Amino acid sequence: FAGSSCQRFCISATDAQMEEEAKDGANATPTLEADDPQPHPFPTDVYIEYDTARETKSSAYPLAISVITPRPIALISSCNKEGQFNLAPYSYFNCVGHDPFTLVIGINRSGTRGGGKKDTLANIEETGEFVINIMSEWFVEAANHACGDFDSSVDELALAGLTPIASKRVKPPRVKESAVHMECKLVQVIDTPNAAGQPALAIVIAECVMLHVHEGVAGRSPSGSLVVDPIRMRPVCRLGGTMYGRVNELYNIGRPNSKQAHVGPADYTPPF
């Protein structure tokens, strides 16, 4: 990406090497028993206490994003009623259920806009629709470029050099460079005030009504269900500060049953 400021905190490897290493890791199943000691590796038992009611908002942010890691990233495309596109990444995001297929995004108010709503939230509330595009390594810098504090009139898709493609059930476009798109309908927005009683956080609850998986990352579970291959999708995650992470080592740990602490991958089939 032009003007790249990306720092890599890993040893570079070819895609083929990464895929082979990840597959090797996925076949390694830890053999610890449930009652085996698994202590932390540090020489002391000293914990630093952080009282969220007493500390400042400015100190809470870097701690929150460095504690809750790794976080998946929702690259959200939305538009207002006039059709003006917006694109922005959010890592206060996750899937919280599959029946219904429910996604949640946390959107804080904008500090640079005097506590006003960010364009993503304003668009979602106005139209009730948006698309979550999953970020992968091959376009992470372009996607990250969309997180700038741009004016609402700016089309971040065009600015970042990304390609809009039509959705099936909602008006906002999908991002072609992404391998997985989730078209979403708004279910509810829960406004959460801060200690001063001012609007500070919107918890956006939405249902995925259409999911698109590129054939290049599609796979099948042992029971035949459509799944995504994380080795091929190469998803990125957010850590603390401006740091991103990659998925390059996988392993299986089966669910425990009454007979043994860890069952092998072959016994992990139902319901997956």
Side-chain angles (χ1 to χ4, degrees), residues 105-185:
I105 306 103
I107 303 178
N108 285 104
R109 292 298 183 103
S110 174
T112 60
R113 299 183 183 182
K117 295 179 180 180
K118 295 180 179 179
D119 295 334
T120 299
L121 177 59
N123 289 348
I124 291 174
E125 289 186 319
E126 186 173 308
T127 67
E129 300 179 342
F130 61 99
V131 178
I132 292 176
N133 307 275
I134 299 300
M135 286 173 57
S136 293
E137 286 187 49
W138 55 79
F139 74 107
V140 63
E141 293 175 69
N144 179 71
H145 193 68
C147 75
D149 187 20
F150 304 114
D151 187 80
S152 58
S153 62
V154 173
D155 179 354
E156 288 86 356
L157 277 106
L159 188 67
L162 295 170
T163 311
I165 56 176
S167 297
K168 298 291 185 180
R169 301 279 181 84
V170 300
K171 186 176 180 180
R174 297 177 284 147
V175 175
K176 184 178 181 180
E177 287 75 8
S178 171
V180 177
H181 319 128
M182 292 178 281
E183 299 184 29
C184 300
K185 294 275 192 177

Side-chain angles (χ1 to χ4, degrees), residues 175-237:
V175 175
K176 184 178 181 180
E177 287 75 8
S178 171
V180 177
H181 319 128
M182 292 178 281
E183 299 184 29
C184 300
K185 294 275 192 177
L186 177 63
V187 174
Q188 184 181 4
V189 174
I190 302 173
D191 285 311
T192 305
N194 58 22
Q198 300 298 318
L201 167 67
I203 301 172
V204 178
I205 304 173
E207 181 178 353
C208 174
V209 296
M210 176 66 72
L211 200 148
H212 307 262
V213 177
H214 193 283
E215 63 180 2
V217 303
R220 293 288 170 180
S221 73
S223 61
S225 297
L226 175 66
V227 296
V228 170
D229 184 338
I231 300 170
R232 294 176 179 173
M233 185 167 73
R234 291 159 57 187
V236 293
C237 63

